[in-house]
Amino acid sequence: MLPLAGITVVSLEQAVAAPFATRQLADLGARVIKVERPGPGDFARGYDETVKGLSSHFVWLNRSKESVTLDLKSEAGITALRALVDRADVFVQNLAPGAAARLGMDAATWRARRPELVHVSISGYGDVGPYMSKKAYDLLVQCEAGLVSITGTPETPSKVGISVADIAAGMYAYTGVLSSLIRRLRTGEGATIEVSMLEALAEWMGFPLNFATYGGSAPARSGASHAAIAPYGPFACAGGEFVFLGIQNEREWATFCSSVLEQPDLAGADRFANNSLRVAHRSELTETVEAAFANLAAEEVVARLDEARIANARLRGVAELAEHPQLAARDRWRTVDSPAGPLRQLLPPAMPDGVEPRFDPIPTVGEHTDAILAEFGLSETGSSAEHALTHEQERQP
């Protein structure tokens, strides 16, 4: 049996953060009822059409869910939503701050009505403070959290190439739900969980935050290198290829010099005698390493590094990730059905042993509306929803 079988989640969700949290609950067996606006539904459905006409984000985040469309401008739609939540174990919403309260779907209302409910709110900046009403797209939160300032090359600050603020918020919402369900088993008490993208990403900024607070300056942008460790990052080999490597301690540095560079005396050189000195003389160190690699093919460098047990990697493109031999060897691929046909998807990490996660189909907009409203005795009041959500209900994260 899947760990969350029997748990019902109702999620008024869009985009990335909340859908990522609830998809992981669905992977573990929870029933996830996804409430969408009539017509276009979750606007992430329209981000692109690259997966056989479907959105790459939506395919990633929405398998194993049931889609219900409700008009939350109508009394019938609100009545239907409340009836769904009345029978749910978990309610998740990522509306704009204040919108849930205006709909009567806020935590204070629902925890008073049902103390056992786990109520989760995800926002960009939280529901109080000077930033509570600011739009919170992933790039903007990366900027506010300082991540862009330390990412990229010395000349060019860059955002992270995935929606890392959304993902961080979704992960904390997911783990918050799991811990709250465990507490409810012991005490019967539900929980109010509030997750902001800024706070989630600020937690992930722990290293640079400590470094800047106590060191007087933030880690310098260093591209694919490391601001505080050397040698660490890409090094050119023969033929213009690059090998990425990282040295973590003085024992590895000595091994690297003797077994990989074949220059054992280099380990004791004054300018490279410890990590701080190697960072201070990074340019000279890089020149020395790349001179040793200049006549070696990348495969030979990797072989030497592996033999010496020095951490290393080849730079793979995303298409190469899809064919990664380690993922194949560990049987990490499954197939999920969708409106566009079968799609190849990765198994989620950290599944309990002996458990095969759910891989139920990706739903079309409102695919399950009539069946679920009938199940809840709401077919007459809820099936006529035709209008989109009001602007105040639009998603922040």
Side-chain angles (χ1 to χ4, degrees), residues 102-113:
R102 287 188 286 272
L103 293 172
M105 300 306 300
D106 55 289
T109 298
W110 276 91
R111 292 297 310 289
R113 178 186 177 100

Side-chain angles (χ1 to χ4, degrees), residues 202-242:
E203 164 64 19
W204 287 14
M205 288 286 290
F207 149 64
L209 190 58
N210 279 304
F211 191 98
T213 300
Y214 298 103
S217 62
R221 290 192 300 272
S222 53
S225 298
H226 195 291
I229 302 174
Y232 192 109
F235 294 89
C237 306
E241 293 188 279
F242 284 84

